[in-house]
């Protein structure tokens, strides 16, 4: 019998890549997704890549009755990897209540429904945004968390606090919070990748859409930051490396290897690249010129964020293998496949 893992938000960008890695590690995967920012096509794409069709249930985890029902059906699961959440920083500033409602109701219903059935292992999809504007770099897990700029970011920070309280009150329950830096890239097959809804907020999909002619021009938000070329520095990480870390994290809980009931790990490469570095690499990988213009700073952007990767290396035995060029070429490959599909 394969070990069953429930992946909420499994039709989304990071969730779908993680579902593939879980299947390739011989887990039985059940995907729960409301398809609010994803497509059911992802299920057949996962089949195309792995030869396995994961179980899929379309469910809104904000709805407690529906959530309890689906966990009753899958009460033999051993753990949950929780990706389901809204994630657009700018939209969360416009619609904070929608973000708090969606991200917390779904988290609380999931925790309640799974623990009723003794499904006591939980991996949480967190973000480097919990560090706010860090005073020291690289950021270690010991850096203090700060109130993030956006409601979206705040849902990640408060969720970690909820998990802290819950793991203290429920001694059988263990959780790992994975704090992502900047996930980009796509599966090497070119069959899955990021599917931004409408105009992308993030740098890489904006670049690939501009190069594909979907957007006219990339706006670079500010070149007067205290960095080498004035543009902000981020720690970009390949989504496949990120997905692999989730498999290692869930195995750690299944094998009772966690050292505390709630653990935190940064997931990054430890390398910082500026916006102009990314643009230059894109131009060199694709042998093309990108149309871009420097404009005003965007609210809430911090000058520099990059991870210390020591803890993940030491405790999970995980580090990122893929380089910036791999991230860029796989993103571009995916974008081109998407365009040829929509033609
Ligand atoms: N950028 C541009 N033009 C764009 C988009 C982005 O210049 O059109 C710049 C941003 O100003 C920033 C860098 O590219 O300097 C990266 O921006 P992203 O939006 O791709 O990523 P962020 O670092 O802002 O956001 C990421 C995650 C969020 C998370 C945040 C903080 O996407 O989920 O890190 O940790 F909240």
């Amino acid at each position: 019998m394969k070990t069953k893992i429930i992946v909420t938000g499994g039709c989304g960008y990071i969730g779908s890549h993680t579902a593939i890695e879980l299947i390739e590690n011989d887990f039985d995967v059940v995907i729960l997704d409301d398809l609010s920012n994803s497509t059911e096509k992802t299920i057949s794409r996962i089949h195309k890549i792995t030869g396995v069709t994961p179980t899929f249930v379309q469910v809104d985890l904000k709805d407690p009755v529906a959530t309890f029902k689906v966990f009753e059906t899958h009460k033999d699961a051993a753990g949950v990897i929780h990706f389901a959440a809204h994630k657009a920083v700018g939209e969360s500033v416009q619609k904070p209540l929608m973000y708090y409602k969606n991200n917390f109701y779904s988290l609380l219903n999931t925790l309640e429904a799974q623990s009723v059935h003794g499904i006591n292992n939980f991996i949480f999809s967190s973000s480097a945004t919990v560090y706010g504007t860090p005073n020291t770099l690289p950021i270690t897990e010991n850096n203090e968390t700060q109130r993030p700029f956006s409601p979206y970011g705040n849902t990640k920070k408060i969720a970690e606090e909820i998990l802290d309280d819950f793991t203290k009150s429920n001694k059988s329950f263990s959780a790992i919070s994975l704090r992502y830096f900047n996930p980009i890239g796509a599966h090497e097959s070119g069959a899955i990748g990021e599917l931004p809804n409408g105009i992308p907020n993030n740098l890489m999909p904006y670049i690939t859409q501009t190069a594909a002619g979907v957007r006219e021009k990339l706006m670079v938000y500010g070149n007067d930051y205290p960095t080498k070329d004035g543009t902000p520095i981020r720690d970009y990480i390949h989504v496949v490396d990120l997905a692999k870390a989730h498999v290692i994290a869930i195995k750690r809980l299944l094998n009772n290897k966690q050292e505390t009931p709630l653990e935190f790990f940064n997931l990054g490469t430890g390398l910082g690249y500026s916006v102009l570095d990314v643009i230059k690499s894109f131009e060199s990988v694709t042998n093309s010129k990108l149309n871009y213009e420097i404009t005003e700073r965007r609210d809430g952007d911090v000058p520099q964020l990059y991870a210390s990767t020591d803890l993940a290396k030491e405790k999970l035995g995980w580090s990122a293998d893929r380089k910036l060029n791999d991230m860029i070429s796989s993103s571009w490959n995916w974008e081109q496949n998407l365009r040829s599909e929509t033609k």
Side-chain angles (χ1 to χ4, degrees), residues 1-218:
M1 272 278 278
K2 293 186 176 185
T3 304
K4 185 186 276 189
I5 302 295
I6 294 175
V7 180
T8 75
C11 287
Y13 176 41
I14 306 172
S16 58
H17 287 82
T18 300
I20 288 170
E21 297 302 320
L22 285 166
I23 291 168
E24 286 177 349
N25 277 268
D26 226 22
F27 287 100
D28 179 13
V29 173
V30 176
I31 288 180
L32 311 182
D33 204 302
D34 68 356
L35 302 180
S36 61
N37 189 22
S38 59
T39 163
E40 195 177 342
K41 276 191 203 157
T42 303
I43 302 297
S44 52
R45 291 171 174 160
I46 292 174
H47 176 264
K48 194 171 154 199
I49 294 167
T50 62
V52 173
T53 304
T55 304
F56 170 62
V57 185
Q58 183 173 355
V59 57
D60 180 355
L61 298 173
K62 290 197 296 304
D63 174 350
V65 175
T67 306
F68 273 75
K69 190 164 163 242
V70 75
F71 275 87
E72 166 74 36
T73 309
H74 295 288
K75 60 185 173 204
D76 55 335
V80 174
I81 307 184
H82 185 61
F83 294 100
H86 290 336
K87 61 170 188 179
V89 173
E91 185 186 46
S92 79
V93 175
Q94 303 302 319
K95 300 176 183 168
L97 297 187
M98 181 178 119
Y99 269 68
Y100 286 121
K101 195 167 160 186
N102 184 71
N103 292 5
F104 291 141
Y105 283 13
S106 57
L107 172 69
L108 297 173
N109 287 335
T110 299
L111 290 174
E112 231 177 350
Q114 69 176 98
S115 51
V116 162
H117 295 296
I119 307 172
N120 285 325
N121 300 303
F122 187 80
I123 306 295
F124 182 63
S125 175
S126 189
S127 164
T129 192
V130 301
Y131 295 116
T133 306
N135 301 322
T136 55
L137 289 163
I139 304 169
T140 72
E141 290 77 353
N142 293 328
N143 272 58
E144 252 181 62
T145 58
Q146 295 173 8
R147 200 240 191 246
F149 157 77
S150 70
Y152 153 76
N154 208 28
T155 67
K156 295 297 179 190
K157 180 169 182 290
I158 296 171
E160 289 192 344
E161 292 164 2
I162 291 171
L163 290 174
D164 186 34
D165 291 337
F166 188 56
T167 50
K168 280 179 183 142
S169 76
N170 181 341
K171 299 287 177 228
S172 332
F173 196 90
S174 299
I176 293 179
S177 182
L178 299 175
R179 293 171 171 167
Y180 315 150
F181 280 67
N182 286 59
I184 61 171
H187 194 264
E188 61 184 9
S189 63
I192 61 164
E194 190 170 8
L195 273 175
N197 210 348
I199 302 173
N201 299 294
N202 298 117
L203 181 63
M204 187 47 73
Y206 213 105
I207 288 179
T208 56
Q209 289 196 6
T210 304
V214 183
R215 312 275 155 215
E216 195 202 328
K217 189 191 280 183
L218 170 76

